[in-house]
Amino acid sequence: MPASCEASTEFSYDQNCAMAFDNDMETNWASFNEPVGNTITAVFSAPTMVSEIVYAARVNEDGEILSSKDVTLDFQANGRVVQHKLTLANVAGPQTFKVRPTLAQQVSITA
């Protein structure tokens, strides 16, 4: 769990960036008027080794993803940035991605 988070935009208080990291699939973060290119950043209290990302895109009533299928992860620590690229399947629900273990003070996710 991150110590805090930041987002490029937030749709409302009920869909703020903390909702993306609360382990509750009934809540979510939504950007405001930013269908593609939105960014959310998880900030850790200390450098943390990250080896897996669980991503759940918002979907419409037909089960189609409401964001880009291409996701960029920027792992940042000690002035260094390591980037990983993911491609989402067009399915509802969480998707788990294994990534090369990377030390991060924060992780920015752009979709």
Side-chain angles (χ1 to χ4, degrees), residues 8-27:
S8 53
T9 63
E10 294 177 330
F11 185 76
S12 70
Y13 177 77
D14 293 334
Q15 292 179 304
N16 65 64
C17 68
M19 303 288 184
F21 304 107
D22 66 0
N23 290 321
D24 182 350
M25 292 302 295
E26 298 299 315
T27 65

Side-chain angles (χ1 to χ4, degrees), residues 35-47:
V36 176
N38 52 64
T39 301
I40 187 168
T41 301
V43 180
F44 302 106
S45 58

Side-chain angles (χ1 to χ4, degrees), residues 21-84:
F21 304 107
D22 66 0
N23 290 321
D24 182 350
M25 292 302 295
E26 298 299 315
T27 65
N28 62 73
W29 163 67
S31 63
F32 179 75
N33 201 24
E34 208 178 21
V36 176
N38 52 64
T39 301
I40 187 168
T41 301
V43 180
F44 302 106
S45 58
T48 301
M49 190 63 67
V50 179
S51 60
E52 180 178 275
I53 297 287
V54 178
Y55 190 101
R58 294 177 60 237
V59 295
N60 65 18
E61 57 276 352
D62 295 325
E64 297 170 326
I65 292 177
L66 294 174
S67 69
S68 171
K69 290 186 179 77
D70 298 316
V71 176
T72 301
L73 307 173
D74 289 318
F75 295 78
Q76 302 166 41
N78 303 319
R80 185 171 162 239
V81 177
V82 175
Q83 193 172 82
H84 294 278

